[in-house]
Amino acid sequence: MNRSFTYFSKIKGNFLKTPSPNLHLGFGFCPHNTFLPSRIHSNSSSNAHNDKHPQSINQKVNNLDDALNLFDEMTQRRPLPSIIKFTQLLQSVTKMKHYSHSLNLFKQMCLLRVPLDKFTMSIVIKCCCQLHRTKDGFAALGFCFRRAIVPNVFIFSALLDGLIIEDRILEAEIFFKKLIKEKLCEPDVVMYNTMIKGLCKISNNVIAISLLKLMDERGCKPDVVTYSTVIDSLCKDKLIDEAFKLFKEMVFQKGISPDIITYNSLIDGLCKLGRWDEASKMLQEMLDDGISPDVQTFNILVDAYCKEGKVKEAEDVINIMLKRGILPDLVTYNSLIDGYCLRGEMSKAKSVFDSMEFRGIFPDVVTYNSLLNGYCKSLKIEEAMNLFHEVTRKGLKPDVVTHNTMIHGLFRVGHCGDARKIFDEMLAKGLKPDENTYRIILEGLCNNHKIEEALSLFHLMGDGKLNSDIVVYTILIEGASKCGKLDDATALFQDLINKGLHPNVKTYTVMISGLCREGIVQDAKQLFLQMAESGCPPDNVTYNVLLQGYLKNKHYDDVEMLLEKMDELGYSLDVSTLSLLIDSIAAGSLDTAMSTLIRKLVPDELMDSPSWPYDVFS
DNA sequence: CACCACACGT
């Protein structure tokens, strides 16, 4: 939700020069913290720092059970092992991402009166933050102050990351500035990288880059993480050329070598834009650099092929990874399942799904959501419903996406009441509907001719984000005009302009389509011409929509000009426009001489169709 | 003994 909808105010101006508002981030005691004892007696003589059995404690722990057993063993020893041994163990559990377990161990350490230090506290705070309990992290900071543990850059970075994890980017920025201004700590490269990550998370690439420059000026050299963070963000925003600019700066000006993450980000960015040649060039460059592709590299390729519907090629990639000794993982199979679903090949999707368990890879909620979406798209609503309930039976938690998908599916088959039930179920489970939920509901209502309900829901939603969401407006405009309520559509269009929102290509296109449907071709043409002026030039779809409008309304004068323009732009005709054109030629309404032009505008895929009436053009 | 970056779902 962060990238597509920047509801956060963009951070403008110079990063460190804005005055920082007073910060109330819980430096004091937090009454809600659940794991810190209110007071810990220091008892340094009884748990001295000397270890009687250091060797067994030094054994490596590679799994959670070993770690927990070792911890239990350590707690039995007298004297207790040193804080360092405990902290090392805490760190290994944390590295395994068992943050809740880490906090439990910490709680036991507190009860055992192990004296805590800043190392322990930074790990504990990190655990809180990673668990989306940044509030508890700040409570732990208060605990540090009371215990005369002076927080340092490690602790502050963990907290900063916590704010960012919770999408509290503005607070993160304020916190970061406060740390510098009040000289609470001098940020290191990691802290800068964390702040840059936060800025990137809200697509604020410009400020992210200026912070990158600023850290350099302040004597903190950006590293491969700094650059990779920004490069990845630029790639995600499809600003691939800017990403490469930064990549070159990193390599040639700063002499920093890219690593596998840098390459993966760039390859992903190129693949997602369909720039396959450059992607494979990049892959080669990576190999030449002595870096072997990892499971993520392959997953990027698998996913990209799947999204293009080329599941066969995706399967080939999987075979290559197997040959290279890299095992496909959950993400690989999730992409593959999604690929089959996209093609409507549900039995293949299902068989991949069924094979996963056999391979020792267990479906997660994402797997289920993809499969669920597949059934919904194929209108197999009964199977979808069964799958929806299976999620819970398998011990997984259906999330917002699961519910959104199910609601969408029910609307598709016209089961509006059932959709409502799932929505209520979602609320009852304490899940928070997001903008997608509301879009799906609004669109579902529109498609089921319940435009009034959609409009009243829209007005009910009142203030915020959704009422200023161009996608929502577009849905409603389309819905209204399809329900024959062009007046409502026009009013909505005017309304969004009044709010200072910018219609996008889709908005204009549905409006043009609506006008054409009512036979108001002149206004449609007017709006079409307005698009380029507004810096939002019509796309392939717009041209097809307008053409259809002209043909259906027997407005033949502008057809040829429009076709020529399409040819110039490299656009193509879709099937229904083409068939209308053929009908018009056949009926003698259009000049047969236009056939040559029309033929140029037919995409190759359509020419392969055996049912194609070639004779029209001969 | 501690803090940061990449892949999948509406």
Side-chain angles (χ1 to χ4, degrees):
Chain A
M1 84 185 252
N2 304 311
R3 207 154 266 285
S4 15
F5 314 101
T6 41
Y7 297 131
F8 302 90
S9 65
K10 289 272 181 181
I11 299 161
K12 296 209 168 82
N14 277 342
F15 209 78
L16 295 174
K17 289 176 187 158
T18 20
S20 57
N22 211 2
L23 193 69
H24 301 287
L25 286 170
F27 282 88
F29 177 72
C30 172
H32 303 297
N33 88 54
T34 47
F35 62 89
L36 287 170
S38 56
R39 173 128 192 96
I40 293 171
H41 307 283
S42 85
N43 202 346
S44 47
S45 60
S46 69
N47 41 22
H49 288 214
N50 52 338
D51 292 325
K52 287 272 172 62
H53 314 276
Q55 51 278 63
S56 57
I57 294 176
N58 285 343
Q59 69 183 259
K60 284 220 176 90
V61 283
N62 295 315
N63 64 64
L64 182 62
D65 285 340
D66 287 354
L68 299 181
N69 288 334
L70 180 57
F71 184 88
D72 281 342
E73 192 203 317
M74 282 164 66
T75 61
Q76 303 299 314
R77 293 167 190 254
R78 291 299 177 274
L80 282 171
S82 74
I83 177 63
I84 295 178
K85 291 286 171 274
F86 276 107
T87 305
Q88 283 172 331
L89 187 57
L90 206 58
Q91 170 67 353
S92 59
V93 175
T94 304
K95 275 259 144 39
M96 291 183 260
K97 298 195 198 307
H98 295 297
Y99 305 116
S100 303
H101 285 284
S102 290
L103 291 182
N104 282 333
L105 298 185
F106 174 70
K107 204 193 285 181
Q108 293 182 50
M109 284 163 66
C110 291
L111 294 171
L112 286 163
R113 315 265 192 265
V114 176
L116 308 169
D117 63 12
K118 57 183 71 176
F119 294 91
T120 327
M121 291 316 293
S122 73
I123 297 170
V124 166
I125 289 172
K126 176 184 161 157
C127 291
C128 293
C129 291
Q130 297 291 322
L131 289 165
H132 294 244
R133 287 166 53 183
T134 305
K135 202 175 172 188
D136 291 330
F138 276 98
L141 179 67
F143 171 85
C144 290
F145 284 125
R146 288 197 304 283
R147 300 281 312 171
I149 295 168
V150 180
N152 58 11
V153 67
F154 292 91
I155 288 177
F156 288 129
S157 286
L159 289 166
L160 185 69
D161 199 28
L163 292 172
I164 290 163
I165 286 170
E166 292 183 11
D167 289 327
R168 295 158 64 181
I169 313 299
L170 279 177
E171 284 164 87
E173 188 208 356
I174 292 164
F175 182 55
F176 180 73
K177 286 176 185 168
K178 180 189 169 81
L179 293 174
I180 296 175
K181 263 212 154 70
E182 302 186 9
K183 300 203 177 351
L184 290 164
C185 76
E186 182 59 29
D188 65 359
V189 63
V190 175
M191 185 178 264
Y192 278 113
N193 290 348
T194 308
M195 191 65 245
I196 287 172
K197 175 181 77 172
L199 293 165
C200 289
K201 205 170 174 189
I202 54 171
S203 280
N204 210 333
N205 301 318
V206 176
I207 305 291
I209 292 168
S210 61
L211 186 54
L212 184 149
K213 309 280 183 223
L214 182 69
M215 65 189 276
D216 208 352
E217 284 164 24
R218 287 175 60 104
C220 180
K221 294 280 162 248
D223 64 5
V224 64
V225 177
T226 323
Y227 276 99
S228 298
T229 305
V230 183
I231 287 171
D232 183 64
S233 178
L234 291 167
C235 287
K236 289 208 162 65
D237 287 341
K238 307 201 183 302
L239 301 168
I240 202 93
D241 300 318
E242 289 191 48
F244 272 103
K245 207 179 116 199
L246 214 57
F247 178 73
K248 291 191 177 102
E249 174 187 307
M250 172 179 98
V251 178
F252 299 115
Q253 288 175 37
K254 305 286 177 182
I256 300 167
S257 305
D259 64 10
I260 187 144
I261 296 181
T262 326
Y263 280 114
N264 283 348
S265 289
L266 287 167
I267 293 169
D268 192 38
L270 289 167
C271 286
K272 285 201 162 69
L273 285 175
R275 287 160 68 164
W276 290 95
D277 292 351
E278 290 157 275
S280 85
K281 224 181 83 194
M282 222 42 221
L283 200 57
Q284 189 56 52
E285 209 172 307
M286 179 172 125
L287 293 169
D288 295 344
D289 237 1
I291 299 171
S292 306
D294 64 0
V295 65
Q296 298 207 28
T297 319
F298 284 110
N299 284 346
I300 287 163
L301 302 176
V302 169
D303 191 61
Y305 276 125
C306 286
K307 291 238 157 49
E308 287 210 347
K310 297 176 177 168
V311 197
K312 175 73 180 59
E313 284 84 346
E315 298 263 21
D316 292 343
V317 173
I318 293 177
N319 286 327
I320 294 169
M321 51 195 292
L322 286 168
K323 274 188 202 127
R324 295 184 64 108
I326 295 172
L327 284 178
D329 65 4
L330 183 57
V331 176
T332 324
Y333 289 109
N334 284 350
S335 287
L336 194 59
I337 288 172
D338 209 53
Y340 280 122
C341 288
L342 187 70
R343 295 165 58 96
E345 299 179 12
M346 288 315 293
S347 58
K348 286 197 176 162
K350 183 65 165 56
S351 74
V352 174
F353 177 83
D354 290 335
S355 77
M356 286 172 69
E357 196 167 335
F358 173 70
R359 297 173 205 267
I361 294 166
F362 298 96
D364 67 354
V365 68
V366 177
T367 324
Y368 276 96
N369 290 345
S370 287
L371 203 58
L372 183 66
N373 188 41
Y375 284 125
C376 288
K377 277 178 71 173
S378 310
L379 308 179
K380 300 190 169 169
I381 203 67
E382 209 145 297
E383 271 132 319
M385 268 308 223
N386 288 335
L387 198 69
F388 180 78
H389 291 117
E390 190 180 315
V391 182
T392 315
R393 280 204 304 276
K394 295 281 177 179
L396 296 166
K397 284 212 186 318
D399 63 9
V400 176
V401 179
T402 320
H403 289 83
N404 288 352
T405 308
M406 195 67 241
I407 292 170
H408 193 179
L410 288 164
F411 271 123
R412 278 192 230 249
V413 294
H415 298 184
C416 303
D418 290 338
R420 176 60 194 251
K421 275 185 202 155
I422 301 292
F423 178 71
D424 290 338
E425 208 176 289
M426 173 177 177
L427 296 178
K429 287 175 190 162
L431 289 168
K432 226 174 103 56
D434 62 9
E435 47 279 320
N436 291 303
T437 319
Y438 287 109
R439 283 195 200 133
I440 288 165
I441 293 172
L442 290 173
E443 194 168 17
L445 291 170
C446 287
N447 290 340
N448 287 283
H449 308 285
K450 296 179 191 298
I451 182 69
E452 278 92 355
E453 277 181 58
L455 286 172
S456 64
L457 177 60
F458 176 68
H459 291 121
L460 250 167
M461 292 185 310
D463 60 333
K465 311 159 183 176
L466 285 157
N467 277 29
S468 309
D469 186 327
I470 189 64
V471 181
V472 167
Y473 267 103
T474 308
I475 289 168
L476 293 173
I477 291 171
E478 185 171 23
S481 63
K482 276 188 182 165
C483 290
K485 309 223 168 202
L486 189 66
D487 289 350
D488 283 331
T490 315
L492 284 160
F493 193 80
Q494 196 52 52
D495 190 31
L496 76 89
I497 303 275
N498 293 344
K499 278 191 185 168
L501 292 172
H502 298 288
N504 59 30
V505 183
K506 176 97 202 246
T507 322
Y508 280 112
T509 306
V510 299
M511 200 60 225
I512 289 168
S513 165
L515 290 164
C516 290
R517 192 178 291 111
E518 298 296 318
I520 316 173
V521 185
Q522 280 310 323
D523 285 5
K525 184 179 172 183
Q526 198 70 35
L527 205 54
F528 180 82
L529 295 172
Q530 199 183 306
M531 290 179 75
E533 292 167 24
S534 314
C536 182
D539 67 5
N540 208 351
V541 182
T542 324
Y543 273 93
N544 277 280
V545 162
L546 188 62
L547 260 178
Q548 291 195 33
Y550 283 167
L551 295 169
K552 285 178 186 164
N553 290 291
K554 307 195 186 309
H555 177 100
Y556 300 113
D557 302 349
D558 294 330
V559 170
E560 186 166 10
M561 191 198 68
L562 221 51
L563 290 171
E564 277 164 3
K565 196 85 189 148
M566 285 180 79
D567 185 35
E568 200 182 305
L569 291 164
Y571 286 169
S572 56
L573 294 164
D574 66 30
V575 196
S576 44
T577 314
L578 190 50
S579 114
L580 279 172
L581 281 165
I582 293 163
D583 292 347
S584 304
I585 289 174
S589 312
L590 281 180
D591 194 335
T592 350
M594 237 178 268
S595 300
T596 327
L597 181 54
I598 292 171
R599 199 178 210 292
K600 274 168 78 184
L601 293 170
V602 180
D604 298 340
E605 310 94 78
L606 286 186
M607 297 305 290
D608 293 333
S609 166
S611 61
W612 192 249
Y614 290 101
D615 41 346
V616 178
F617 298 110
S618 51

